[in-house]
């Protein structure tokens, strides 16, 4: 006998209209975070605007695809079958930006995607073992790592507002008169004059008029103030999409002032298939794969906490088999991401929070959200529109988004007992110190073996390694499920 009352709220199939409405709400909540990562990494790789727009479309497409796999489930062993929206994790941004800085262009993209595919494959293999690995990542470790991630990313948001320290927006430029003199010296050397020393270069000494331009700072501040005002006075969905709304307000102001252009949006098509391996065959570098694998372990720890918390919110406890099935999708989704020119995937915690706020527990709402994301990914104009957003507009939003990542780490650390276990202070203090080394002394590794540079030039990886080792040294290795659930409740922002 089939009775509607016997259907668990998680498995409830709502009317199509309500599904679409609630699905759009989930998409709006995650949209700003979903498109931020391809923007950051694409511009760090110095890709063309068309390629960056493609990365955004590919990301939206794969977000939707992996969300459907996770929420709908396939067989007994793939998918958590809970209302989960999957998106690119900010935990992966720091290492990817380091890789992009080291090797820009399409070759760097191939190295990043190779590392992502390799890390996704390893994550798929170790998913059943995560129950044993969890003991190495209690809240004192995960909170510290997320805090360092946020602090590391703040540099990106600040540079969005004022300009990058290198390139066309650098604070200082080379004096044209000095550059002309050097060119004359090289010409003279070719005709028998004194040779110019090898590696000789002129230092930039002229102030760049487009660095920290007051109008750019003003618009960035407008975005920041708008986000804070909407978060303060908005209610429900409006408050949840404060960041996205602030960016829209900034874009409108920039358009009115003639500082945002839509030529490439007009040229972009209305439909295009997202093709895999756009930049060529991935490059599988073992060191880069190891770096991204460490990121994936952190991501899977986060996912574990999210799944356990979501199980309590929806009234469907998560078994070990369910947990493994959900974590497998982190690995599968990351492999799909690498193949389709995009990034590692995990459950978006703000959407987990939305389930608690709305009280709608049906996983089919997230399936509908996944379908909407796929449709958005197949519309190139959407990617081109996001790519057209000026970086200084993103700067105001970046300050909030990346600061919220750091604040999330702090909130997780509030669940840690620092009074009766003062050694936890050493874990946090020393790990943060190591995490800041590449930020404050980026050339510290100049005499170290080049093969290990991708690992030690990432403050996030350094902080992760130190936090795990110090926690094991001071506290031993143990894991309490209640700790993971409480930490997940506190981590309501990626």
């Amino acid at each position: 006998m089939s009775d509607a009352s016997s259907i668990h709220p998680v498995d409830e199939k709502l009317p199509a209209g309500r599904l679409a409405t609630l699905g759009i709400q989930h998409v709006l909540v995650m949209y700003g975070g979903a498109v931020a990562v391809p923007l950051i990494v694409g511009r760090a790789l110095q890709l063309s605007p068309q390629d960056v727009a493609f990365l955004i479309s590919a990301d939206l497409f794969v977000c939707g695809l992996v969300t459907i796999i996770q929420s709908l489930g396939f067989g007994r062993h793939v998918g958590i079958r809970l209302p989960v929206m999957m998106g690119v994790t900010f935990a992966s941004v720091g290492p990817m930006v380091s890789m992009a800085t080291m090797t820009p262009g399409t070759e760097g993209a191939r190295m990043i995607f190779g590392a992502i595919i390799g890390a996704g494959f390893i994550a798929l293999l170790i998913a059943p073992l995560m129950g044993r690995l969890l003991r190495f990542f209690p809240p004192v470790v995960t909170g510290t790592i997320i805090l360092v991630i946020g602090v590391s990313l703040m540099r990106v948001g600040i540079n969005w507002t004022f300009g990058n320290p290198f390139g066309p927006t650098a604070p200082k430029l080379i004096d044209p008169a000095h550059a002309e003199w050097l060119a004359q010296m090289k010409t003279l050397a070719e005709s028998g004059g004194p040779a110019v020393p090898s590696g000789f270069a002129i230092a930039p000494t002229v102030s760049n008029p487009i660095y920290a331009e007051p109008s750019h700072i003003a618009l960035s501040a407008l975005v920041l103030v708008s986000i804070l005002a909407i978060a303060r006075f908005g209610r429900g969905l409006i408050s949840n999409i404060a960041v996205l709304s602030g960016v829209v307000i900034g874009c409108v102001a920039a358009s009115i002032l003639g500082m945002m252009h839509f030529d490439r949006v007009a040229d972009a098509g209305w439909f295009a298939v997202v093709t895999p391996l756009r930049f060529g065959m991935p490059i599988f570098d073992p060191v880069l794969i190891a770096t991204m694998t460490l990121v994936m372990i952190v991501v899977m720890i986060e996912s574990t906490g999210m799944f356990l918390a979501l199980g309590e919110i929806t009234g469907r406890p998560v078994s070990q088999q369910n947990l493994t099935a959900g974590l497998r999708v982190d690995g599968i989704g990351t492999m799909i991401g690498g193949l389709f020119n995009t990034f590692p995937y995990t459950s978006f915690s703000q959407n987990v929070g939305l389930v608690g706020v709305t009280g709608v527990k049906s996983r089919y709402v997230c399936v509908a959200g996944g379908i909407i994301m796929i449709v958005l990914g197949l519309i190139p104009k959407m990617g081109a529109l996001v790519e057209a957003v000026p970086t200084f507009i993103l700067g105001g939003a970046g300050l909030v988004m990346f600061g919220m990542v750091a604040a999330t780490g702090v909130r997780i650390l509030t669940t840690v007992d620092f009074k009766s276990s003062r050694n936890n202070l050493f874990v946090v203090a020393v790990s943060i110190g190591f995490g800041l080394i590449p930020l404050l002394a980026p050339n510290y590794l100049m005499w170290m073996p080049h093969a290990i540079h991708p690992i030690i030039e990432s403050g996030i990886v350094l902080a992760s390694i130190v936090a795990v080792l110090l926690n094991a040294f001071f506290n031993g290795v143990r894991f309490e499920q209640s700790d993971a659930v409480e930490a997940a409740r506190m981590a309501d922002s990626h």
Side-chain angles (χ1 to χ4, degrees), residues 231-302:
R232 168 65 179 83
F233 299 108
R235 293 291 181 269
L237 176 62
I238 300 301
S239 178
N240 286 331
I241 60 171
V243 173
L244 182 61
S245 301
V247 171
V248 171
I249 291 171
C251 289
V252 171
S255 300
I256 293 172
L257 296 173
M259 300 169 70
M260 181 174 176
H261 306 285
F262 301 93
D263 298 342
R264 285 190 288 269
V265 180
D267 294 339
W270 282 103
F271 176 82
V273 177
V274 177
T275 53
L277 305 179
R278 176 186 174 97
F279 301 98
M281 286 299 295
I283 298 173
F284 298 98
D285 184 295
V287 175
L288 299 185
I289 291 174
T291 301
M292 292 305 297
T293 298
L294 182 56
V295 171
M296 285 304 301
I297 291 175
V298 175
V299 164
M300 294 167 83
I301 297 297
E302 282 189 82

Side-chain angles (χ1 to χ4, degrees), residues 88-99 115-116 119-120 122-123 126 130 137 142 145-146 149 287-303 330 334 343-346 454-455 458-462 464-465 468 494:
V88 181
T89 171
F90 274 110
S92 64
V93 173
M96 289 192 296
V97 168
S98 296
M99 296 175 197
I116 289 169
I122 294 173
I126 66 174
M130 283 306 296
F137 293 85
T142 55
I145 293 171
I146 294 172
I149 290 170
V287 175
L288 299 185
I289 291 174
T291 301
M292 292 305 297
T293 298
L294 182 56
V295 171
M296 285 304 301
I297 291 175
V298 175
V299 164
M300 294 167 83
I301 297 297
E302 282 189 82
S303 293
D330 279 4
T334 298
F343 311 107
Y345 288 88
T346 186
I455 294 179
S458 168
I460 297 166
V461 177
L462 277 178
S464 301
I465 295 172
V468 169
H494 268 270

Side-chain angles (χ1 to χ4, degrees), residues 170-188:
K172 296 287 185 180
L173 300 176
I174 295 174
D175 190 322
H178 296 174
E180 184 180 353
W181 173 84
L182 181 58
Q184 290 173 353
M185 290 299 100
K186 289 181 178 179
T187 302
L188 185 61

Side-chain angles (χ1 to χ4, degrees), residues 150-177:
V151 172
S152 300
L153 289 175
M154 289 297 286
R155 177 176 54 180
V156 176
I158 291 170
N159 288 338
W160 274 349
T161 298
F162 301 110
N164 290 314
F166 305 102
T169 61
K172 296 287 185 180
L173 300 176
I174 295 174
D175 190 322

Side-chain angles (χ1 to χ4, degrees), residues 307-350:
F307 294 153
L308 294 175
L310 194 56
E312 289 199 356
I313 292 171
T314 59
R316 173 171 281 180
V318 176
S319 67
Q320 184 65 44
Q321 180 179 320
N322 297 144
L323 180 61
T324 300
L327 294 177
R328 280 197 185 99
V329 178
D330 279 4
I332 293 171
T334 298
M335 291 175 64
I336 293 173
L339 287 171
F340 279 87
N341 322 285
T342 182
F343 311 107
Y345 288 88
T346 186
S347 55
F348 256 38
S349 50
Q350 53 264 58

Side-chain angles (χ1 to χ4, degrees), residues 340-364:
F340 279 87
N341 322 285
T342 182
F343 311 107
Y345 288 88
T346 186
S347 55
F348 256 38
S349 50
Q350 53 264 58
N351 292 87
V352 173
L354 186 61
V355 173
V357 170
T358 63
V360 179
K361 303 173 182 178
S362 172
R363 58 193 172 104
Y364 293 101

